[in-house]
Amino acid sequence: MSDAPRTEPRPQALKPSRDPQLVLLRHGETEWSASGQHTGRTDIPLTPAGEKQARYAGGALADYEFAAVYTSPLTRARRTAELAGYADAVVDEDLAEWDYGPVDGRTSHDVSAELGREFLIFDDGVRVLPPSAEHGEGRPGETLEDVATRAARVVARAEETLAARAEDGGGDVLLVAHGHLLRVLATVWLGVDPRLGARFELGTAAVCLLGYGHSLRTIEGWNLAAQ
């Protein structure tokens, strides 16, 4: 049996498209993402595994030269951006995760038990429970429509760069953020009901590629490169 140290697996670098792409990167694993607890504005760090995932994602994006990189203000996203190689990412408050209010820190199983039925966040929202000082610091939380409105502002800003010529600072854009926020943003990109975000599974440190085809906004890759 060899005592040689294990080499870490290297990701296959994703190949940029000829046309501009909006690239999404979810943050790496945290203790709450691993346990299934909704993590909204609670600011918890990456686990060691999450830091490893972030570096791996950076390798997957190594062939991109982004014209702009934006990150959520929350620590887990900013650290993911840093470890992926984008320490200079610009903080965009609109990229913060869905404010879960009374659902923050709870699992779907916990909420379902309290409601006496299955809890489906994209259908039910988070205001199915009363505000609680123990969860979400007493905030009622955002509606799905609130989150979609923020996502639409992000998309509008990103498209200014996507649409610009390369000599004018245009090109691909990277967004580093959170699972639910990015799933809602994908529905905004497509112009469909944000509740369809429930159908877009997104792992920690996964990459998604949004682009254009036949004058339509499209999804060119989803849930890629997750380790």
Side-chain angles (χ1 to χ4, degrees):
M1 188 172 182
S2 174
D3 293 327
R6 279 184 169 182
T7 58
E8 295 293 339
R10 294 193 173 195
Q12 181 176 354
L14 298 171
K15 297 302 178 186
S17 169
R18 288 181 301 174
D19 298 318
Q21 289 180 316
L22 180 58
V23 180
L24 316 181
L25 172 59
R26 185 187 174 193
H27 65 75
E29 180 194 81
T30 67
E31 288 187 5
W32 281 14
S33 70
S35 63
Q37 292 167 265
H38 289 90
T39 320
R41 303 305 171 84
T42 300
D43 204 8
I44 62 177
L46 300 179
T47 62
E51 294 196 345
K52 181 178 175 182
Q53 289 176 335
R55 295 187 189 96
Y56 189 90
L61 296 174
D63 287 348
Y64 279 84
E65 294 183 9
F66 292 105
V69 180
Y70 299 97
T71 180
S72 157
L74 294 166
T75 299
R76 56 194 183 274
R78 289 189 290 109
R79 180 62 171 157
T80 296
E82 177 185 2
L83 292 172
Y86 307 101
D88 295 333
V90 176
V91 171
D92 187 336
E93 297 291 335
D94 281 333
L95 285 173
E97 180 60 298
W98 189 340
D99 184 349
Y100 297 127
V103 172
D104 198 80
R106 301 178 190 248
T107 66
S108 293
H109 181 270
D110 293 336
V111 179
S112 296
E114 189 156 343
L115 295 177
R117 61 173 176 81
E118 185 178 9
F119 169 62
L120 299 171
I121 192 168
F122 279 91
D123 289 331
D124 293 322
V126 300
R127 296 181 178 179
V128 290
L129 298 178
S132 166
E134 295 180 359
H135 299 278
E137 299 178 335
R139 297 186 303 276
E142 291 179 294
T143 66
L144 180 59
E145 291 71 24
D146 292 334
V147 182
T149 296
R150 288 197 286 112
R153 291 198 294 261
V154 174
V155 166
R157 288 192 288 270
E159 280 214 299
E160 293 179 4
T161 302
L162 294 170
R165 295 177 301 176
E167 56 267 33
D168 295 325
D172 299 323
V173 176
L174 174 64
L175 307 178
V176 186
H178 310 269
H180 278 141
L181 182 282
L182 291 176
R183 289 159 74 175
V184 172
L185 188 144
T187 68
V188 170
W189 180 259
L190 295 176
V192 298
D193 189 330
R195 288 178 296 178
L196 288 175
R199 308 285 181 141
F200 298 159
E201 290 291 345
L202 186 57
T204 50
V207 174
C208 303
L209 309 174
L210 309 184
Y212 302 91
H214 303 286
S215 301
L216 297 173
R217 292 176 179 173
T218 61
I219 293 180
E220 299 181 346
W222 190 264
N223 209 26
L224 305 174
Q227 187 179 23

